[in-house]
Amino acid sequence: MTEMAHSATRAALRHHFDDLNQQHAAGTLGMWVFLVTEIMFFGGLFAAYAIYRSLYLTGFEAGSRLLDIKLGAINTAVLIASSLTMALAVHAAQTSSRKALIVFLILTMILGGVFLGIKYVEYHHKWETQLVPGLRFSPGTEIPQKISLAQVELFFCFYFFMTALHATHMVVGIGILAALVVMAARNRFSANYFAPVEVSGLYWHFVDIIWIFLFPLLYLIGGRY
Amino acid sequence: MSHHVVPVPIYVGVFAALILLTALTTWVAFIDLGAMNTVVALTIAVTKMILVILFFMHVRYSDGLTRIVILAGFFWLAILIALTLSDFLTRHWSPLPSGWSESAARPGM
Amino acid sequence: MSTTAADIPASSRVHYLNVNYGIKSWLLTTDHKRIALLYLASITLMFFVGGAFAVLMRIHLISPQGTLVQPETYNKLFTMHGVIMIFFFLIPSIPAVLGNFLVPMMIGARDLAFPRINLLSWYLYIIGAAISMYAILAGGVDTGWTFYTPYSTTYSNTYVIPTILGAFVAGFSSILTGLNFIVTIHKMRAPGLTWFRMPLFLWAMYATSIIMILGTPVVAITLSLVAIERVLHVGIFDPALGGDPLLFQHLFWFYSHPAVYIMILPGMGVVSEVITCFSRKRIFGYTFVAFSSLAIAVLGFLVWGHHMFVTGQSIYAGLIFSVLSFMVAIPSAIKVFNWTATLYKGSISYSAPMLYAFGFIGLFTMGGLTGLFLASLATDVHLNGTYFIVAHFHYIMVGGAVMAYLGGIHFWWPKITGRLYPDTWARFAALVIFIGFNLTFFPQFMLGYLGMPRRYAVYPDEFQVLNVMSSAGASILGVGYLIPLIYLIWSMRYGPVASANPWGAKGLEWETPSPPPTENFEETPRVTRGAYAYAGEEDAHD
């Protein structure tokens, strides 16, 4: 390792840790514990959603059918691709490949941006078709007569809150990746010190996993047959 | 703490599997399997999650503490859902007081 | 004998308090010890704000028709008393003050795993407290600290959302503290410090942290749903629009029951430390006490439905929750037995911390036993919603948690400040608090048993005598709390200088000077024996 890399690595060691291994282990465990809190945070919403779905299946199915399954599936693929590029970014950091690291981080950010763009398109469409609970909710003939509008509105409450919370996490994630790009450009990462990249990767994959569940639960229960 | 470097072909393979599973679950949504639709969709989602956790998040190569932490998270979520459901699913096991109508007893619209 | 750093008088030694001066050095510190003091000041302030509401309530309740405030105002008083005492005093108290100060020291580390996140945690607390104070000053909130729907979502015309926001932000402060402790205890123990050589205070902090990180996020998201419903007028929890108020209660109590264990477990950790030191004896049944902390953390998550026995919950779910609630009493009882056995044939000294520990054991036991009446479905039907419940939880929270907090503050005061407090005043205050507490809350058991409902601004005449007794007790209790405030502040400047280990206690924190240097230890300690190796014991084995 070059002299510059040595001193960069030494500078990365915080004073209260004995060595970089301990620091890395603490950082990784810290991120996993944080992700567990996120499991419980989203989990409360999933629990409420599960209960109301079991009570109001017809209304929830009707609401689900009004979501654009194509855009949902595309978004799922986009996020999965972004997880691939994130994993490759971590790989680049682990192998001291600075250029590849920056490229993959930026690709991940772009894919995240695409996801958010598609989400915006979906939200805008829901606004136009008056399917936003509380603010602008008056669906027309797209809901069959016998189905309770209140149930459909409840479905859309969950749709908007869960996807908006998820999107907020994505925005934060993109911000974190931007910070990593700056640090990588300043040559802060190497095979000896890449913990921030790895730990950010864990966060990014977690946000992907949330969507992996949101997609079937929101888009695929519509009985589209 | 293992600093295991996962080979790139494994990442690409997992990616391909995840895309395939996404296509599969979307396709199945258009087939009427009754109650099994939900089961299939969730099974596929769980499978995708496990692939992301094991390979993208390196848990396949991680120590026991990491695995316990993850399992604890899911276990606690299961407690929340299971015990709350135990209320909702058993509310109608008790007979209603006389004079109450069935529809008044169910929450709903 | 050579002079160690511990023998050099504090005034000529550099330690964490005098290493630098100025407000920036405090507001931007990452030293866990300074952050602990920042918390100490903040939560003391919030304690007296919450206490002020209690004083107003007890004055109001002296007469059956309540002449001090309007009923609408009374609703705000008990709500804000609860919100402040729970979210801004009890939940942070021991973990944020004593935990932050002691966890790295007991572990043999230089700081917590994430010092900057520790500081962030304090700022989140301050922001949450500020938002809640705004809600109070702007006009208050009257939903009860439990925010039951649909009143909180649809009908209340008070400052619900700012209060929720304040609690939400404070919740994240709590989560970050717990996260920090868990990682620190797993990854930063000194060489030789195995899990079963750790002092029991660390086991208590670890168990508390587990509850903090698993429970708090759920109440955070639940309160967010209440806020959304309030703003958008949608029907998540409002039955008129198809929502289920019981779903709110399930999600709310999923956190709020384990929250009471967040409030008591740290106190139990303090008691374990104090009892061993002032009996000069190793704790009896170390392993049982350690595992009972974990058992309380786990079982505590399985019992929340006992708050909902009479709300329309399925009776079969009620059955399950009732059985589990009986089970959760067992690990607490195990602790009480072990503390008692530790005292047996010990060399006991009645210092102020020890008096607080005795108070804890007696009062917590009473509070816990009365919990069994409430865990039993049949008796809960009569006692729920009465002053019996109020007395039950105040025996645990005040007779238990607050006394343990005060005991811990006194026990570690010399270490934290380098000064001794005046011993006679301290023991006198402990006695006044004990007497005032019992006079305040024992009559409330009787009031509840006789049927007086809680959260009521007026009551039937026949309950007046007991209410007056309770209010008289509250005035004594209030004086009792003021006394330590005065002499502890006084001691910081004028108290006798303390040595490294004025109590002769065992533990890594006592092997550094009082106050400790910023890095805690001159060199990383190596641990070769178990905790509590007091004289007369064979080497404390694991």
Side-chain angles (χ1 to χ4, degrees):
Chain A
M1 193 167 41
T2 64
E3 180 55 46
M4 209 169 76
H6 262 298
S7 62
T9 308
R10 262 202 313 275
L13 179 63
R14 311 256 356 265
H15 76 102
H16 53 285
F17 286 114
D18 296 329
D19 55 60
L20 277 178
N21 269 338
Q22 189 190 42
Q23 182 172 314
H24 188 132
T28 312
L29 177 62
M31 177 51 77
W32 276 113
V33 171
F34 176 70
L35 293 181
V36 164
T37 72
E38 293 273 51
I39 291 177
M40 299 308 291
F41 194 57
F42 279 95
L45 285 179
F46 279 105
Y49 177 85
I51 285 166
Y52 279 132
R53 182 174 175 270
S54 70
L55 290 174
Y56 304 137
L57 186 56
T58 49
F60 272 42
E61 282 184 344
S64 172
R65 276 195 290 277
L66 296 175
L67 296 179
D68 189 330
I69 195 173
K70 271 197 308 296
L71 289 183
I74 292 174
N75 252 353
T76 310
V78 164
L79 266 193
I80 290 172
S82 78
S83 266
L84 172 64
T85 54
M86 186 72 229
L88 291 173
V90 175
H91 184 273
Q94 283 178 306
T95 53
S96 298
S97 320
R98 184 170 145 262
K99 281 216 185 63
L101 169 59
I102 295 177
V103 164
F104 283 123
L105 284 175
I106 292 180
L107 272 178
T108 311
M109 289 171 66
I110 291 175
L111 287 166
V114 169
F115 177 92
L116 291 174
I118 294 178
K119 254 312 352 94
Y120 171 76
V121 167
E122 288 185 87
Y123 278 8
H124 182 76
H125 179 258
K126 291 292 164 290
W127 180 261
E128 294 299 322
T129 52
Q130 309 202 59
L131 287 171
V132 181
L135 296 172
R136 202 177 180 192
F137 192 81
S138 40
T141 53
E142 62 267 39
I143 312 266
Q145 274 281 16
K146 282 183 311 177
I147 294 191
S148 153
L149 280 188
Q151 291 184 13
V152 177
E153 187 172 14
L154 188 60
F155 170 82
F156 277 101
C157 278
F158 279 96
Y159 168 76
F160 276 106
F161 192 24
M162 292 170 95
T163 56
L165 187 64
H166 174 264
T168 310
H169 280 77
M170 290 227 36
V171 169
V172 170
I174 292 175
I176 292 174
L177 293 179
L180 288 180
V181 166
V182 170
M183 288 168 74
R186 293 182 185 161
N187 207 15
R188 294 276 292 275
F189 301 123
S190 69
N192 287 296
Y193 178 64
F194 59 90
V197 183
E198 180 174 15
V199 148
S200 305
L202 291 178
Y203 174 82
W204 191 266
H205 295 307
F206 174 80
V207 178
D208 182 20
I209 289 176
I210 293 291
W211 183 261
I212 283 175
F213 280 94
L214 285 183
F215 173 57
L217 287 174
L218 294 172
Y219 290 80
L220 300 183
I221 55 153
R224 298 165 184 264
Y225 32 74
Chain B
M1 177 65 220
S2 95
H3 294 240
H4 186 274
V5 182
V6 179
V8 172
I10 292 192
Y11 284 144
V12 177
V14 169
F15 167 74
L18 290 170
I19 295 292
L20 271 168
L21 286 169
T22 305
L24 177 66
T25 195
T26 313
W27 178 67
V28 168
F30 290 93
I31 302 173
D32 184 357
L33 300 170
M36 287 302 289
N37 272 102
T38 312
V39 175
V40 168
L42 284 177
T43 308
I44 293 177
V46 168
T47 309
K48 289 161 79 177
M49 175 184 71
I50 291 176
L51 284 173
V52 172
I53 289 179
L54 285 180
F55 295 102
F56 283 166
M57 299 172 90
H58 300 165
V59 173
R60 178 100 163 67
Y61 316 98
S62 289
D63 57 10
L65 177 60
T66 309
R67 293 167 196 215
I68 293 178
V69 169
I70 300 169
L71 286 171
F74 288 120
F75 179 67
W76 253 261
L77 182 56
I79 293 175
L80 170 63
I81 296 178
L83 281 177
T84 306
L85 270 178
S86 80
D87 173 23
F88 284 86
L89 293 179
T90 62
R91 269 192 207 165
H92 305 102
W93 290 7
S94 307
L96 292 173
S98 59
W100 287 30
S101 64
E102 180 62 42
S103 63
R106 275 183 188 274
M109 336 171 220
Chain C
M1 178 171 86
S2 59
T3 313
T4 63
D7 300 328
I8 302 174
S11 49
S12 49
R13 206 175 17 93
V14 176
H15 50 76
Y16 81 101
L17 288 170
N18 65 14
V19 66
N20 43 31
Y21 292 104
I23 197 146
K24 260 178 72 174
S25 75
W26 280 89
L27 292 183
L28 294 178
T29 184
T30 52
D31 180 358
H32 65 101
K33 299 181 290 298
R34 286 195 168 198
I35 293 175
L37 289 185
L38 290 174
Y39 267 111
L40 176 61
S42 332
I43 70 166
T44 305
L45 175 65
M46 296 308 276
F47 176 73
F48 283 102
V49 172
F53 291 120
V55 166
L56 290 172
M57 280 194 281
R58 283 303 345 152
I59 294 176
H60 174 89
L61 288 171
I62 287 177
S63 76
Q65 292 314 305
T67 47
L68 189 68
V69 295
Q70 293 300 310
E72 292 74 21
T73 309
Y74 185 82
N75 294 346
K76 295 181 183 177
L77 292 180
F78 68 69
T79 302
M80 295 182 305
H81 172 73
V83 167
I84 293 200
M85 285 309 204
I86 290 175
F87 292 115
F88 296 102
F89 175 68
L90 282 165
I91 285 178
S93 61
I94 296 177
V97 178
L98 295 173
N100 264 328
F101 195 94
L102 294 167
V103 168
M105 300 193 68
M106 289 181 168
I107 287 252
R110 291 184 285 285
D111 207 316
L112 290 174
F114 307 115
R116 290 173 298 190
I117 288 184
N118 199 12
L119 183 65
L120 173 65
S121 175
W122 181 72
Y123 274 107
L124 288 175
Y125 172 86
I126 293 296
I127 292 170
I131 296 174
S132 298
M133 290 305 300
Y134 158 73
I136 289 170
L137 294 169
V141 58
D142 66 352
T143 57
W145 81 275
T146 46
F147 296 108
Y148 274 12
T149 63
Y151 184 67
S152 62
T153 54
T154 314
Y155 300 101
S156 173
N157 289 321
T158 57
Y159 287 80
V160 177
I161 292 185
T163 311
I164 282 180
L165 188 56
F168 183 92
V169 174
F172 279 96
S173 165
S174 186
I175 288 174
L176 292 179
T177 299
L179 190 156
N180 231 331
F181 286 172
I182 289 178
V183 177
T184 305
I185 293 175
H186 269 286
K187 295 295 182 188
M188 294 176 74
R189 296 191 309 280
L193 185 59
T194 60
W195 281 85
F196 292 98
R197 285 178 176 174
M198 289 198 312
L200 289 166
F201 182 76
L202 287 176
W203 280 97
M205 286 296 108
Y206 184 75
T208 306
S209 302
I210 291 178
I211 306 176
M212 281 168 159
I213 60 150
L214 287 169
T216 318
V218 177
V219 78
I221 201 73
T222 308
L223 292 178
S224 313
L225 285 171
V226 171
I228 285 176
E229 180 160 346
R230 210 172 152 74
V231 168
L232 294 180
H233 306 294
V234 290
I236 305 175
F237 298 124
D238 185 349
L241 299 170
D244 188 355
L246 247 65
L247 179 61
F248 169 79
Q249 293 183 27
H250 277 293
L251 295 174
F252 177 81
W253 286 113
F254 178 83
Y255 163 73
S256 299
H257 186 83
V260 315
Y261 298 108
I262 292 178
M263 299 186 249
I264 201 65
L265 267 173
M268 293 170 160
V270 169
V271 169
S272 293
E273 299 298 319
V274 169
I275 293 268
T276 53
C277 174
F278 295 104
S279 321
R280 284 280 169 271
K281 231 181 124 200
R282 186 166 193 255
I283 193 107
F284 185 91
Y286 171 98
T287 318
F288 276 96
V289 180
F291 278 122
S292 69
S293 294
L294 294 181
I296 290 173
V298 174
L299 287 174
F301 271 98
L302 303 176
V303 303
W304 77 81
H306 65 227
H307 298 269
M308 299 160 60
F309 283 158
V310 298
T311 58
Q313 179 180 248
S314 150
I315 201 164
Y316 297 96
L319 235 164
I320 298 173
F321 281 119
S322 175
V323 168
L324 289 165
S325 300
F326 277 98
M327 283 170 57
V328 80
I330 297 174
S332 295
I334 288 177
K335 284 185 195 277
V336 173
F337 292 139
N338 279 291
W339 291 324
T340 313
T342 307
L343 292 169
Y344 179 64
K345 289 200 175 167
S347 169
I348 299 187
S349 39
Y350 296 88
S351 61
M354 191 59 151
L355 291 179
Y356 282 113
F358 284 145
F360 178 100
I361 295 178
L363 299 176
F364 165 76
T365 303
M366 282 180 65
L369 288 174
T370 54
L372 295 176
F373 292 116
L374 303 170
S376 160
L377 279 159
T379 45
D380 186 69
V381 169
H382 298 278
L383 296 171
N384 200 36
T386 70
Y387 262 82
F388 195 91
I389 306 242
V390 176
H392 157 74
F393 65 69
H394 280 95
Y395 260 78
I396 305 188
M397 291 299 127
V398 183
V402 176
M403 292 197 92
Y405 173 71
L406 288 173
I409 291 286
H410 283 78
F411 184 52
W412 282 290
W413 190 256
K415 180 59 54 187
I416 294 172
T417 60
R419 302 281 180 159
L420 295 169
Y421 54 80
D423 187 57
T424 314
W425 276 108
R427 290 192 279 159
F428 173 67
L431 208 52
V432 169
I433 289 174
F434 183 81
I435 293 171
F437 170 83
N438 279 295
L439 193 53
T440 309
F441 291 106
F442 195 83
Q444 293 186 8
F445 276 127
M446 297 158 68
L447 280 169
Y449 179 74
L450 291 170
M452 178 175 170
R454 64 184 286 202
R455 295 179 166 176
Y456 273 43
V458 298
Y459 56 84
D461 290 341
E462 69 236 41
F463 296 141
Q464 182 169 22
V465 171
L466 289 169
N467 268 292
V468 169
M469 274 173 70
S470 177
S471 296
S475 62
I476 298 174
L477 186 59
V479 167
Y481 286 137
L482 284 172
I483 301 176
L485 182 69
I486 296 170
Y487 66 68
L488 285 176
I489 293 178
W490 174 91
S491 79
M492 288 199 284
R493 190 104 144 100
Y494 302 107
V497 172
S499 65
N501 194 354
W503 313 122
K506 300 296 178 188
L508 288 178
E509 75 271 27
W510 300 107
E511 293 172 23
T512 70
S514 303
T518 303
E519 298 284 296
N520 296 336
F521 301 96
E522 282 168 26
E523 47 180 75
T524 306
R526 299 201 131 265
V527 177
T528 53
R529 46 179 22 192
Y532 316 120
Y534 284 97
E537 303 281 315
E538 324 84 67
D539 254 25
H541 48 82
D542 305 330

